[in-house]
């Protein structure tokens, strides 16, 4: 079996996925790297070999004979870069969110179908052991028919992660409700078995907007300044991005197309960092404690007052690898998808629906909580991707 020839666009924080995909003589090899910052390219030959091609312009690689490309760049660039490769029939791994608007997602889906080129979106949380375990419990009927899903997302490191670089500028993300929420909204949809069709949102910039200390970090990477141990209390943060116009506190309500109701809450100034999902059905509820390390899922399915030990507890083993072992599984699936096509655990249509929910909720939030309806994608597109992009 010849190695797949892979290109990598963007060598920032998610550039670690390229290392997982680089398997010389074992199925895949990174042969080309692109980043706007020449400094980011300086070490790629040590990582991927002396013959790796480097460029600061991704368009130089669209006709370079690549078998696939990983697009790991900032959110607002995903759409344009992916369209260039899809139109040249190069299979694309696209980091989430697939775009920062619903129409941008629809353009990507249409381009993949029109060219017959495989599109894969990196929603790694579908490979996260705790999420997979909760979905299995739902599918086994442990709580009956799902009627409600809640998610509380505590982003305790938000001041360092998302308010000191491009994430803080809504031109690059639409907003953190979409940027961060795309993961959780996809999980909510997956666990509930449906997609959001009516949403409302509320929230604001309630803490980090009061910090006057700002600094332009052009040329820096998040890893250059990240110091979670010194990230408390939040108002002591310094050197935020010159533009800070995204919300640090947001919440949304959803009605899904199958009648399930859901809610999502996101806060960037909590002392702790984790996601808490609650799924309520006609015969019980499940809730996770922890999300990547030392994870327990608790099940309540008998009438009682609250009891912390629950009626059953499931300890979830966390394998080695980044993001609780999800990233290695994600890359494994993408490489197999390049070779064989077919259905995958992740879904471009579901990725679009996560963006659509987050995008609509952000518009609602910024218009005082106005309810917004979400239209589904073209049925022909849905059928194409449901059939494994064959």
């Amino acid at each position: 079996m010849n190695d797949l020839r892979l290109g990598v666009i963007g060598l920032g924080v998610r550039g670690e996925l390229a290392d997982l995909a680089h398997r010389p003589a074992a199925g895949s090899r990174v042969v080309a790297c692109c980043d706007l910052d020449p400094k980011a390219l300086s070490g790629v030959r040590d990582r991927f070999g002396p013959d790796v091609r480097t460029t600061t312009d991704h368009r130089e690689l669209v006709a370079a004979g690549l078998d696939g490309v990983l697009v790991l760049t900032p959110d607002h660039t995903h759409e344009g870069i992916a369209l260039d490769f899809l139109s040249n029939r190069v299979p694309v791994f696209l980091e989430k969110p697939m775009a920062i608007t619903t129409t941008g997602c629809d353009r990507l889906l249409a381009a993949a179908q029109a060219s017959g080129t495989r599109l894969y979106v990196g929603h790694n949380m579908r490979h996260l052991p705790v999420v997979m375990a909760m979905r299995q419990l739902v599918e086994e009927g442990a709580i009956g028919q799902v009627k409600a899903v809640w998610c509380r997302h505590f982003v305790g490191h938000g001041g360092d992660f998302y308010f000191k670089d491009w994430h803080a500028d809504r031109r690059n993300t639409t907003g953190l409700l979409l940027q961060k929420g795309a993961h959780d909204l996809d999980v909510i949809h997956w666990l509930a078995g449906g997609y959001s069709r009516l949403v409302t949102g509320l929230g604001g910039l309630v803490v980090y907007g009061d910090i006057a200390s700002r600094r332009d970090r052009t040329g820096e990477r998040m890893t250059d300044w990240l110091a979670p141990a010194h990230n408390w209390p939040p108002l002591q943060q310094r050197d935020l991005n010159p533009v800070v116009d995204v919300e640090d506190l947001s919440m949304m309500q959803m009605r899904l197309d199958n009648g399930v109701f859901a809610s999502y809450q996101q806060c960037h100034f909590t002392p702790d960092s984790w996601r808490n999902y609650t799924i309520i059905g006609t015969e019980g509820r499940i809730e996770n404690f922890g999300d990547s390390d030392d994870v327990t899922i608790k099940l309540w399915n008998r009438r009682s007052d609250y009891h912390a030990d629950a009626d059953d507890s499931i300890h979830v083993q966390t394998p080695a690898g980044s993001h609780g072992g999800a990233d290695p599984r994600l890359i494994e699936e993408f490489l197999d998808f390049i070779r064989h096509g077919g259905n995958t655990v992740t879904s471009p249509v579901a990725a679009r629906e996560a963006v659509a929910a987050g995008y609509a909720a952000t518009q609602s939030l910024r218009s005082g909580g106005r309810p917004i309806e979400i239209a589904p994608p073209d049925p022909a597109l849905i059928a194409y991707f449901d059939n494994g992009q064959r």
Side-chain angles (χ1 to χ4, degrees):
M1 179 175 65
N2 293 329
D3 284 348
L4 295 169
R5 292 169 45 83
L6 302 177
V8 180
I9 316 300
L11 293 162
V13 173
R14 291 300 279 159
E16 62 191 11
L17 293 178
D19 298 285
L20 294 174
H22 185 57
R23 307 172 180 184
S28 56
R29 179 188 300 267
V30 172
V31 300
C33 293
C34 172
D35 198 288
L36 292 177
D37 183 1
K39 290 190 301 182
L41 298 171
S42 60
V44 297
R45 290 185 172 87
D46 292 331
R47 290 169 67 181
F48 306 121
D51 298 326
V52 67
R53 178 176 176 179
T54 62
T55 179
T56 58
D57 187 346
H58 74 275
R59 291 169 294 186
E60 294 183 6
L61 302 181
V62 295
L66 299 175
D67 296 307
V69 64
L70 286 80
V71 179
L72 311 175
T73 55
D75 298 1
H76 66 291
T77 67
H78 288 180
E79 180 186 347
I81 294 172
L83 286 173
D84 286 341
F85 283 101
L86 290 172
S87 64
N88 282 271
R89 300 183 60 81
V90 180
V92 172
F93 174 105
L94 187 56
E95 177 62 351
K96 72 85 204 164
M98 63 187 298
I100 64 171
T101 65
T102 308
T103 54
C105 294
D106 288 341
R107 282 190 288 267
L108 285 165
L109 295 178
Q113 182 193 33
S115 64
T117 307
R118 290 169 181 162
L119 172 64
Y120 184 96
V121 184
H123 273 282
N124 59 357
M125 285 191 64
R126 288 198 176 206
H127 290 282
L128 192 65
V130 64
V131 172
M132 297 176 71
M134 295 181 92
R135 179 171 165 83
Q136 182 176 349
L137 287 168
V138 168
E139 291 185 324
E140 291 174 349
I143 58 171
Q145 184 180 0
V146 174
K147 292 297 183 181
V149 182
W150 304 335
C151 176
R152 300 181 299 163
H153 189 182
F154 310 109
V155 195
H157 47 249
D160 260 1
F161 267 56
Y162 303 109
F163 287 85
K164 292 186 177 179
D165 67 359
W166 57 268
H167 293 87
D169 187 335
R170 65 177 64 178
R171 293 173 298 181
N172 302 323
T173 61
T174 291
L176 293 173
L177 181 55
L178 188 161
Q179 204 285 331
K180 287 297 292 175
H183 270 316
D184 296 298
L185 296 171
D186 180 56
V187 170
I188 288 170
H189 289 161
W190 201 39
L191 295 174
Y195 295 125
S196 297
R197 288 293 169 255
L198 180 70
V199 303
T200 62
L202 288 173
L205 180 59
V206 301
V207 169
Y208 295 116
D210 295 332
I211 298 175
S213 177
R214 306 294 173 92
R215 179 158 72 85
D216 186 352
R217 295 181 180 271
T218 301
E220 295 183 48
R221 306 277 170 142
M222 186 183 292
T223 50
D224 295 334
W225 69 78
L226 187 61
H230 304 290
N231 192 24
W232 189 262
L235 285 172
Q236 291 188 11
Q237 279 290 335
R238 295 294 179 266
D239 298 330
L240 301 191
N241 194 58
V243 176
V244 177
D245 62 0
V246 296
E247 295 77 16
D248 52 19
L249 178 68
S250 54
M251 50 199 74
M252 60 185 286
Q253 309 289 331
M254 297 155 268
R255 186 180 70 205
L256 278 55
D257 53 12
N258 60 356
V260 173
F261 288 88
S263 67
Y264 173 62
Q265 303 168 35
Q266 180 189 106
C267 182
H268 286 263
F269 47 88
T270 56
D272 51 341
S273 299
W274 64 298
R275 293 171 166 93
N276 170 248
Y277 295 101
T278 298
I279 303 99
I280 304 173
T282 55
E283 298 176 20
R285 74 177 178 94
I286 52 176
E287 182 176 354
N288 68 294
F289 293 84
D291 56 13
S292 59
D293 298 309
D294 192 25
V295 181
T296 298
I297 299 171
K298 294 189 176 185
L299 165 67
W300 289 266
N301 60 0
R302 289 190 291 244
R303 292 294 302 275
S304 68
D305 293 329
Y306 176 73
H307 52 113
D309 55 348
D311 296 312
D312 195 9
S313 294
I314 301 96
H315 182 71
V316 180
Q317 296 291 333
T318 301
S322 53
H323 284 88
D327 283 345
R329 295 179 180 181
L330 188 77
I331 291 299
E332 190 71 44
E333 184 175 59
F334 172 62
L335 296 175
D336 183 74
F337 179 60
I338 292 178
R339 290 191 180 278
H340 305 295
N343 296 103
T344 55
V345 173
T346 68
S347 159
V349 170
R352 179 268 190 193
E353 294 283 21
V355 169
Y359 182 78
T362 302
Q363 306 311 307
S364 172
L365 181 157
R366 293 173 183 166
S367 62
R370 173 174 57 92
I372 295 181
E373 294 187 4
I374 300 171
D378 185 313
L381 282 175
I382 296 174
Y384 173 73
F385 287 98
D386 282 351
N387 194 39
Q389 304 184 52
R390 300 185 190 280

